């Protein structure tokens, strides 16, 4: 779907090529956004796992202190 910018077919071809490049760039940007969102979700998941493990570690430290003090 080309838009005629006058009687010069070169201008029409240039516009069409530029339009196609813009569409390609937009699809690449959209893909990068999806990848970034996936990475953010994975980081949040890993931080959540780390927090749970750290809580267990702290709990075991407290338990070991109590058992060694008795």
């Amino acid at each position: 779907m080309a838009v005629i910018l006058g009687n010069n077919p070169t201008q029409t071809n240039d516009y069409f090529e530029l339009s196609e490049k813009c569409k390609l760039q937009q699809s690449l940007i959209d893909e990068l956004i999806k990848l970034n969102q996936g990475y953010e979700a994975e980081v949040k998941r890993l931080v959540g796992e780390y927090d749970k493990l750290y809580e267990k570690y702290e709990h075991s430290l407290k338990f070991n202190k109590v058992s060694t003090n008795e």
Side-chain angles (χ1 to χ4, degrees):
M1 176 167 30
V3 174
I4 298 174
L5 300 174
N7 293 330
N8 187 344
T10 305
Q11 285 180 334
T12 303
N13 287 339
D14 289 347
Y15 175 81
F16 180 75
E17 288 176 21
L18 183 60
S19 174
E20 290 301 307
K21 286 179 183 177
C22 287
K23 288 178 189 175
L24 177 61
Q25 286 178 340
Q26 186 59 51
S27 76
L28 291 172
I29 289 169
D30 292 342
E31 220 26 61
L32 287 171
I33 289 170
K34 287 179 192 174
L35 284 171
N36 188 45
Q37 289 171 341
Y39 289 136
E40 286 178 358
E42 182 64 8
V43 167
K44 286 179 183 177
R45 185 187 71 76
L46 290 172
V47 167
E49 282 186 30
Y50 172 82
D51 288 343
K52 288 177 187 175
L53 288 172
Y54 194 78
E55 285 176 20
K56 287 181 182 178
Y57 168 74
E58 285 182 323
H59 179 73
S60 67
L61 281 179
K62 289 176 186 175
F63 179 75
N64 286 339
K65 283 183 182 178
V66 168
S67 22
T68 54
N69 288 338
E70 291 178 354

